[in-house]
């Protein structure tokens, strides 16, 4: 027997043994059937229309979130000439039908090419222990459509939600906003609830602690059906445009009996001091290159190394700060090759930040990962490792293209340990920048970190940062340096 024939026999055998009954018929010959099609990846539900052909539909799910749970139901057929309705039931194991609502109430509709409908389970109060909700597909308007998968091992005609221990928290997705200081100016910001929230628990709760530097009003949108975030609106009630004065208001998320403040817990609203600067100096552009997704800046930190102070090298992904056209520091980066001004991209000519290219990890802003041991590096736990607006440049005489002063933008960052201890750290600092050789820029600055629990107050050290990986090694300093701190 030839190799080709042997391979063909093996391939057919594997194909047959790997198929379920669902796969025996192809195209229009498949018997139509309807089933629950609830998929998860890393135990996180995929929401329709997201699909993943390598995942098998689940018949149970352990839920610890109070966000609305979306449970897709799929009808397997090519096309429907007329609408099909499927009736289902929803029953609580404790006969408690007040802690949740189901929408639609008991009927799903499929028509034309719309072959997926969704059951929405919303939670209106905290549930009792050991409770579950069972959904079952009961009847279908077309007798030719089978309820459940055609195989009997995984019919997926029922779906059970086991209600586990509830974990609810909130966080600020953005830690700082800058304002012009005009009366009536509005800042829109969000509070995110990763596991959702129950409106009755939030409506009258004191979730903020305030440290006000100017007068403003604060409102929020109606909660509606969105249980993942709340939109707030801060409106300035006084004129604070004096260019020589810095104004700041801070909102801090507090821990409540039902919700834990996590991640970014401090929001700063700042009217900074202003100095005349020519955007055409554009010093920020020396420190990013969006044509390379792997572009890095390179730095040295004066830090303890096994009991001896020494320069320690690091690098970080560096990006511009994107702004709107009306920002006073805006400079056109790209018109995207079109005459339409609405798709133009503007950058802040005087600011850069550090972030990852994609994903949920973190970069090493200011070499901060060197400062700590047992640090959690996921952005959800330690968003402070990604400082998206970190350094601000002030060109000499307002227009120098080669040198000037630099400011570490004062702000609070959040760093957590793998032990889940979370810390708010205030950062600040200043220094200078200059072109030290053709095209090679050096930033020399001091970084200050303030946190009473970690450092007993404020600690600081020296930094050098470069826009190229080839740079002269800084000379040793005759000053003390910080040591690694356990989180």
């Amino acid at each position: 027997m030839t190799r080709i024939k042997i391979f063909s026999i093996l391939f057919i055998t594997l194909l047959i043994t790997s198929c379920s009954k669902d796969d025996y018929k192809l195209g229009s010959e498949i018997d139509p059937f309807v089933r629950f099609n609830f998929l998860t990846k890393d135990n996180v539900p995929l929401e329709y229309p997201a699909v993943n052909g390598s995942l098998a539909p689940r018949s149970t799910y352990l839920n610890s979130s109070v966000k609305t749970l979306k449970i897709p139901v799929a009808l397997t057929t090519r096309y429907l000439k007329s609408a099909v309705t499927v009736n289902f039931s929803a029953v609580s194991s404790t006969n408690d039908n007040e802690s949740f609502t189901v929408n639609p109430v008991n009927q799903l509709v499929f028509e034309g090419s719309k072959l997926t409908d969704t059951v929405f389970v919303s939670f209106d109060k905290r549930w009792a222990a050991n409770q579950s909700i069972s959904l079952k597909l009961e009847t279908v308007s077309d007798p030719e459509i089978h309820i459940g998968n055609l195989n009997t091992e995984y019919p997926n005609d029922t779906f059970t939600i086991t209600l586990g221990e509830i974990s609810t928290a909130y966080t600020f997705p953005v830690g700082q906003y800058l304002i012009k200081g005009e009366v009536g100016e509005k800042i829109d910001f969000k509070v995110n609830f990763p596991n959702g929230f129950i409106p009755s628990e939030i409506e009258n709760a004191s979730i903020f602690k305030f440290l006000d530097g100017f007068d403003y009003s604060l409102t929020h949108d109606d909660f509606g059906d969105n249980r993942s975030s709340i939109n707030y609106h801060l409106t300035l009630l006084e004129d604070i445009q004096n260019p020589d004065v810095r104004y700041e208001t801070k909102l801090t998320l507090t821990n409540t009996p039902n919700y834990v403040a996590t991640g970014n817990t401090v929001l700063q609203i700042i009217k900074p001091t202003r100095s005349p600067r020519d955007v055409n100096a554009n010093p920020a552009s020396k420190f990013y290159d969006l044509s390379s997704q792997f572009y890095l800046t390179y730095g040295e930190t004066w830090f303890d190394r096994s009991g001896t102070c020494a320069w320690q090298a690091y690098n970080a992904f560096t990006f511009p700060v994107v702004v709107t056209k009306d920002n006073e520091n805006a400079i056109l980066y790209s018109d995207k090759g079109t005459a339409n001004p609405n798709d133009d991209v503007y950058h802040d000519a005087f600011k850069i930040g550090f972030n990852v290219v994609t994903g949920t990890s973190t970069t090493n802003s200011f070499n901060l990962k060197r400062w700590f041991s047992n640090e959690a590096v996921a952005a959800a736990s330690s968003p402070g490792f990604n400082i998206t607006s970190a350094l601000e440049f002030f060109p000499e005489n307002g227009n120098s293209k080669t040198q000037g002063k630099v400011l570490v933008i004062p702000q609070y960052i959040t760093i957590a340990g793998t032990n889940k201890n979370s810390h708010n750290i205030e950062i600040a600092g200043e220094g200078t920048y200059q072109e030290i050789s053709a095209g090679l820029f050096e930033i020399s600055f001091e970084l200050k970190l303030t946190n009473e629990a970690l450092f007993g107050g404020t600690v600081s050290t020296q930094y050098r940062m470069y826009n190229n990986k080839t740079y002269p090694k800084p000379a040793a300093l005759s000053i003390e340096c910080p040591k690694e701190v356990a989180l």
Side-chain angles (χ1 to χ4, degrees), residues 430-444:
E430 60 183 347
T432 61
Y433 71 95
Q434 62 177 327
E435 186 176 25
I436 59 175
S437 63
L440 178 62
F441 279 78
E442 177 188 72
I443 307 174
S444 174

Side-chain angles (χ1 to χ4, degrees), residues 135-179:
L135 306 177
K136 183 179 180 181
L137 302 177
E138 300 282 4
T139 61
V140 58
S141 61
D142 186 342
E144 297 296 320
I145 297 175
H146 188 269
I147 294 179
N149 280 326
L150 300 181
N151 67 61
T152 56
E153 188 173 359
Y154 302 105
N156 293 119
D157 58 344
T158 62
F159 184 78
T160 300
I161 308 165
T162 301
L163 300 177
E165 183 178 355
I166 300 172
S167 173
T168 45
Y170 42 27
T171 185
F172 289 119
V174 176
Q176 185 181 102
Y177 288 92
L178 300 181
I179 58 176

Side-chain angles (χ1 to χ4, degrees), residues 4-42:
I4 294 177
K5 289 182 178 179
I6 293 173
F7 177 80
S8 299
I9 293 172
L10 287 173
F11 177 78
I12 293 170
T13 302
L14 286 171
L15 180 63
I16 293 174
T17 57
S18 66
C19 290
S20 69
K21 183 178 178 182
D22 302 349
D23 302 314
Y24 292 160
K25 297 182 179 182
L26 301 176
S28 61
E29 295 181 1
I30 294 179
D31 292 338
F33 60 96
V34 62
R35 72 198 186 285
F36 288 106
N37 194 34
F38 187 85
L39 306 175
T40 62
K41 186 175 183 180
D42 299 326

Side-chain angles (χ1 to χ4, degrees), residues 28-101:
S28 61
E29 295 181 1
I30 294 179
D31 292 338
F33 60 96
V34 62
R35 72 198 186 285
F36 288 106
N37 194 34
F38 187 85
L39 306 175
T40 62
K41 186 175 183 180
D42 299 326
N43 207 43
V44 177
L46 292 184
E47 294 188 5
Y48 178 80
V51 294
N52 189 321
S54 65
L55 300 175
R58 298 181 56 169
S59 58
T60 62
Y61 179 68
L62 176 60
N63 182 53
S64 59
S65 166
V66 295
K67 285 197 300 187
T68 297
L69 190 62
K70 302 174 184 180
I71 305 158
V73 178
L75 176 56
T76 299
T77 186
R78 276 183 175 264
Y79 184 83
L80 294 173
K81 295 181 179 179
S82 58
V84 170
T85 58
V86 174
N87 291 325
F88 69 94
S89 59
V91 179
S92 166
S93 62
T94 59
N95 294 319
D96 170 20
N97 294 322
E98 295 183 356
S99 62
F100 68 96
T101 56

Side-chain angles (χ1 to χ4, degrees), residues 251-283:
L251 281 67
T252 303
L253 290 171
T254 62
N255 292 323
T256 70
N258 290 323
Y259 296 85
V260 176
T262 186
N264 285 325
T265 60
V266 179
L267 175 65
Q268 297 171 283
I269 311 294
I270 299 170
K271 198 291 293 181
T273 57
R274 291 189 172 90
S275 59
R277 288 177 288 182
D278 182 357
V279 295
N280 292 307
N282 199 11

